[in-house]
Amino acid sequence: GDDDNKPTLFPENVENEIHRRHTELVRPLIDAIDTAGIEYFKNERRVTAEVSEARTAIFAKLAKLNELLEERRFVAGDKLTAVDILLASCLFQFDAAYLDAYFLRECEGYQGSILLSDAHPVLKAYLRDMYGFLKPSVRFGSYRHHFRLHKAIETTRQLYSCEILEDEIGRIPSIYDELPNLHAILESIEKHAGGRPRGTSAASSFTQKI
């Protein structure tokens, strides 16, 4: 019928692969990022065992995703699916917010940002590819709301008569700090008629020096 020809983000032939990659890679990455940030501030900016484990998990999952996408265009294979939308939405916020808001640059496993370095070349290429699909919804300025997290937690402590942090440890960037022009970086790559090529050679063609 006509419904069989409609585009879908949950194609039946890769449904198991979508759930597998979501369960093993994408959801754990998002959860680790949340834990690394929220628990860090809840524990008065102390790197607890939980925070340390979450930070390690973030960079381990990024490495796994980099390996996976070296072999295929999208997370579940050669077609765009819902798990790509979820992953890309998370990764677009990585350079714009998570790295600085959650102090991830200080982590032992940190090798560089995704868009502003060549530390994750395949993920960098992947995001440039995904940007073509999601450009209208990518709002880097809005992602800076993560910098409000520490203020929200401290205000909640105060409202409930909990202990307030008296000393500032480090500097949390303002939500209004200037961002690199990530839109320009994403648009700097040449348009390829066939979409993002696959494999190592494909990644290298997308990893221009920024």
Side-chain angles (χ1 to χ4, degrees):
D2 292 339
D3 288 344
D4 295 335
N5 297 320
K6 288 183 178 180
T8 175
L9 292 175
F10 291 95
E12 291 184 5
N13 62 322
V14 292
E15 187 172 338
N16 289 338
E17 183 69 359
I18 292 172
H19 288 296
R20 177 190 171 197
R21 297 304 179 181
H22 175 263
T23 302
E24 294 181 355
L25 291 173
V26 178
R27 187 73 255 170
L29 171 64
I30 295 171
D31 289 345
I33 291 172
D34 287 343
T35 299
I38 295 172
E39 293 302 318
Y40 179 70
F41 290 119
K42 282 174 61 179
N43 288 281
E44 302 181 354
R45 300 179 200 169
R46 288 184 295 108
V47 181
T48 62
E50 187 175 9
V51 171
S52 181
E53 289 175 6
R55 288 178 168 184
T56 299
I58 291 170
F59 296 107
K61 295 303 180 185
L62 288 179
K64 289 289 187 183
L65 284 163
N66 203 69
E67 292 176 7
L68 177 71
L69 291 166
E70 192 172 20
E71 303 171 350
R72 54 178 67 180
R73 184 178 179 189
F74 298 112
V75 174
D78 61 357
K79 292 184 178 181
L80 177 72
T81 66
V83 73
D84 292 292
I85 307 299
L86 183 60
L87 174 61
S89 298
C90 171
L91 295 183
F92 280 131
Q93 299 181 63
F94 195 77
D95 288 11
Y98 298 142
L99 279 177
D100 291 315
Y102 295 169
F103 293 90
L104 298 181
R105 296 182 193 273
E106 301 176 359
C107 304
E108 184 176 341
Y110 175 71
Q111 297 180 344
S113 64
I114 295 174
L115 293 176
L116 300 175
S117 79
D118 292 328
H120 308 281
V122 180
L123 289 180
K124 187 176 184 178
Y126 172 74
L127 282 186
R128 282 174 166 160
D129 198 4
M130 291 299 299
Y131 185 69
F133 297 103
L134 302 176
K135 181 178 177 179
S137 64
V138 177
R139 303 180 182 277
F140 290 115
S142 298
Y143 301 156
R144 305 292 271 184
H145 74 274
H146 290 88
F147 291 125
R148 299 184 188 273
L149 177 61
H150 74 296
K151 291 296 184 184
I153 291 175
E154 290 177 14
T155 299
T156 301
R157 285 197 183 106
Q158 188 172 25
L159 288 172
Y160 288 92
S161 300
C162 297
E163 183 180 353
I164 306 297
L165 291 176
E166 296 180 356
D167 300 320
E168 287 292 326
I169 303 175
R171 173 183 173 273
I172 300 210
S174 164
I175 191 171
Y176 301 110
D177 278 358
E178 184 178 354
L179 270 174
N181 192 339
L182 298 178
H183 285 289
I185 291 170
L186 283 161
E187 292 174 350
S188 66
I189 194 65
E190 294 179 2
K191 303 294 183 183
H192 291 272
R196 178 170 64 89
R198 303 182 184 88
T200 304
S201 60
S204 62
S205 70
F206 280 77
T207 52
Q208 302 172 350
K209 293 291 183 181
I210 302 298

